[in-house]
């Protein structure tokens, strides 16, 4: 059971990990393809390397949300399995995005290990692996949800969210194009658009939408829920931008490079809003440079204008705004789902 601050009970987590093994075994024995030992071994290694390694927040959120929507009724084994299968579909989607993202960004590490495409035998085969990961979602949905009344809605949902995420990634990529580094095009509005599409839909809306469909709900009746979740996704990304610069690398598991990468980060957008002409000049000159001295100059300005304080104020205001949006929702069960999400991310350190 998800308790008030939104953590998942150990037995549900166990059950969730058990479902991964079942789904993997089904996929490795999919009769639509004639398997060889080599191909089966490749896909198994690829799955184990890329799918289950993260925090599993998105996947576990489907079970947590479904449980809350059922208002404390004990879930049947079948319900736990199906909610877990949908949760894993989201983790598969995430793996597909990340495998491709790491190639596009030329990243070195992911979740504390080398990126998949950097492994000696992998290289650009990783592009095809990403396509296979994406196709696995359709195979899982077909096998387990084909007869459900909400099957078409699930397919539509995954297709639409994938389109929104890829489009968000596109805005992000074309905004940070090499020869076109221009800080003056960065604004809160652009930041919001990138985050809403690149992260918000698949990380926040998708898990709850899956749970709503399983509970027999029509997503057209839940536009307000989607809007609150997208808002939460934006708040989550602002925290991420903050932690990239001010977080403890030990806690967040990575060393932030948003300044070097010329990212449209909430911090730089806010800094441009708050600083004087002299400081603005320094930001324009040093933002997006790989040298540690340049990064230090940017961080010094962040400190001079007390961005930590600006963020703390943003965090409190966001929490209040989100809480009142949630409490305006007519259904107590839906409120519980949304509050559990907010509880997981409010004032997080990693």
């Amino acid at each position: 059971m998800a308790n008030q601050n939104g953590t998942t009970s150990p037995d549900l987590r166990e059950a969730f990990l058990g479902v991964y093994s079942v789904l993997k075994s089904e996929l490795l024995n999919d009769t639509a393809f004639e398997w060889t030992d080599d191909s089966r071994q490749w896909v198994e290694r690829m799955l184990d390397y890329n799918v289950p390694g993260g925090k599993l927040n998105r996947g576990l959120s489907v079970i947590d949300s479904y449980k809350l929507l059922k208002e404390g009724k004990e879930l049947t084994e079948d319900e736990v399995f199906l909610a877990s299968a949908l949760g894993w579909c989201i983790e598969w989607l995430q793996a597909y995005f990340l495998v491709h993202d790491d190639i596009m960004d030329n990243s070195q590490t992911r979740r504390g290990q080398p990126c998949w495409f950097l492994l000696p035998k992998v290289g650009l085969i990783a592009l095809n692996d990403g396509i296979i990961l994406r196709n696995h979602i359709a195979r899982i949905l077909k096998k387990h949800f084909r007869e459900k009344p909400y099957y078409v809605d699930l397919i539509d949902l995954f297709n639409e969210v994938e389109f929104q995420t890829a489009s968000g990634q596109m805005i992000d990529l074309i905004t940070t194009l090499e020869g076109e580094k221009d800080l003056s095009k960065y604004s809160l509005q652009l930041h919001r658009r990138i985050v809403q599409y690149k992260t918000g839909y698949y990380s926040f809306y998708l898990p709850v939408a899956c749970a709503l469909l399983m509970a027999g709900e029509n997503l057209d009746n839940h536009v307000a829920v989607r809007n609150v979740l997208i808002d939460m996704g934006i708040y989550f990304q602002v925290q991420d931008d903050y932690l990239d610069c001010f977080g403890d690398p030990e806690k967040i598991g990575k060393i932030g490079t948003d300044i070097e990468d010329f990212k449209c980060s909430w911090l730089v957008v806010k800094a441009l809003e708050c600083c004087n002409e002299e400081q603005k000049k320094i930001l324009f000159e040093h933002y997006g440079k790989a040298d540690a001295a340049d990064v230090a100059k940017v961080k010094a300005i962040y400190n001079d204008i007390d961005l930590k304080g600006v963020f703390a104020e943003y965090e409190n205001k966001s929490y209040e705004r989100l809480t009142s949006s949630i409490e305006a929702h007519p259904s107590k069960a839906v409120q519980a789902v949304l509050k559990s999400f907010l509880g997981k991310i409010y004032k997080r350190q990693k």
Side-chain angles (χ1 to χ4, degrees), residues 23-303:
L23 297 174
K24 180 175 81 169
S25 150
E26 290 170 354
L27 291 163
L28 293 175
N29 294 287
D30 193 321
T31 55
F33 177 62
E34 281 186 39
W35 293 91
T36 59
D37 288 346
D38 283 351
S39 57
R40 197 175 266 122
Q41 210 177 346
W42 180 276
V43 175
E44 177 162 29
R45 185 165 157 247
M46 186 268 291
L47 290 176
D48 287 343
Y49 198 90
N50 294 296
V51 178
K55 298 186 287 286
L56 308 181
N57 285 344
R58 294 168 184 81
L60 288 164
S61 296
V62 180
I63 321 180
D64 292 342
S65 302
Y66 183 68
K67 193 149 185 144
L68 290 167
L69 289 174
K70 299 302 275 188
E71 303 190 78
K73 288 196 196 80
E74 228 5 78
L75 302 189
T76 67
E77 257 182 63
D78 191 46
E79 286 177 306
V80 172
F81 181 87
L82 291 175
S84 300
L86 289 179
W88 280 113
C89 284
I90 301 174
E91 295 294 336
W92 248 267
L93 186 69
Q94 156 102 331
Y96 150 58
F97 290 143
L98 298 185
V99 165
H100 280 186
D101 276 8
D102 287 342
I103 299 171
M104 289 183 265
D105 297 343
N106 200 17
S107 300
Q108 298 300 300
T109 59
R110 160 81 59 194
R111 297 168 175 168
Q113 56 182 12
C115 298
W116 175 244
F117 79 99
L118 289 175
L119 268 55
K121 288 205 275 198
V122 181
L124 290 184
I125 299 175
L127 289 170
N128 192 64
D129 290 334
I131 296 169
I132 287 177
L133 287 165
R134 171 60 184 104
N135 278 277
H136 280 169
I137 297 166
R139 308 305 292 166
I140 294 168
L141 294 177
K142 181 180 162 87
K143 180 159 182 73
H144 296 285
F145 296 91
R146 184 87 176 70
E147 305 305 323
K148 301 283 181 218
Y150 52 86
Y151 178 60
V152 173
D153 300 297
L154 273 178
I155 302 272
D156 274 352
L157 175 66
F158 274 89
N159 285 341
E160 188 153 303
V161 167
E162 182 192 357
F163 169 64
Q164 288 164 318
T165 307
S167 302
Q169 171 74 346
M170 172 189 62
I171 319 173
D172 195 18
L173 291 166
I174 64 180
T175 310
T176 47
L177 267 176
E178 267 309 312
E180 296 176 29
K181 290 185 172 171
D182 177 11
L183 261 190
S184 58
K185 63 187 176 190
Y186 284 180
S187 63
L188 274 181
Q189 193 191 1
L190 175 69
H191 180 267
R192 191 187 166 93
R193 280 189 69 217
I194 292 173
V195 174
Q196 174 177 347
Y197 290 102
K198 187 182 168 174
T199 307
Y201 284 101
Y202 95 91
S203 299
F204 286 81
Y205 175 57
L206 183 57
V208 176
C210 283
L212 286 166
L213 287 176
M214 256 191 81
E217 294 287 325
N218 180 338
L219 294 181
D220 294 339
N221 300 337
H222 291 286
V223 176
V225 173
R226 187 190 69 200
N227 293 339
V228 175
L229 286 161
I230 295 302
D231 256 359
M232 249 184 251
I234 291 159
Y235 163 61
F236 178 86
Q237 185 60 48
V238 172
Q239 288 176 314
D240 230 46
D241 292 353
Y242 176 84
L243 292 170
D244 186 275
C245 180
F246 297 113
D248 175 358
E250 282 299 307
K251 276 189 189 154
I252 58 175
K254 58 186 175 192
I255 293 159
T257 55
D258 282 359
I259 295 173
E260 295 93 316
D261 296 341
F262 197 72
K263 279 286 189 282
C264 181
S265 161
W266 183 85
L267 296 174
V268 78
V269 171
K270 270 303 194 197
L272 290 167
E273 265 182 26
C274 303
C275 65
N276 61 37
E277 286 308 309
E278 186 55 36
Q279 292 168 320
K280 199 175 268 191
K281 232 177 91 180
I282 296 172
L283 283 180
F284 268 79
E285 202 175 317
H286 299 283
Y287 196 76
K289 304 253 166 73
D291 201 290
D294 293 288
V295 174
K297 289 200 165 121
V298 173
K299 287 194 176 181
I301 287 182
Y302 286 0
N303 287 322

Side-chain angles (χ1 to χ4, degrees), residues 317-334:
K317 282 212 171 113
S318 297
Y319 185 77
E320 283 168 28
R321 196 187 65 246
L322 287 165
T323 304
S324 57
S325 305
I326 292 169
E327 285 170 354
H329 200 280
S331 153
K332 281 278 183 262
V334 171

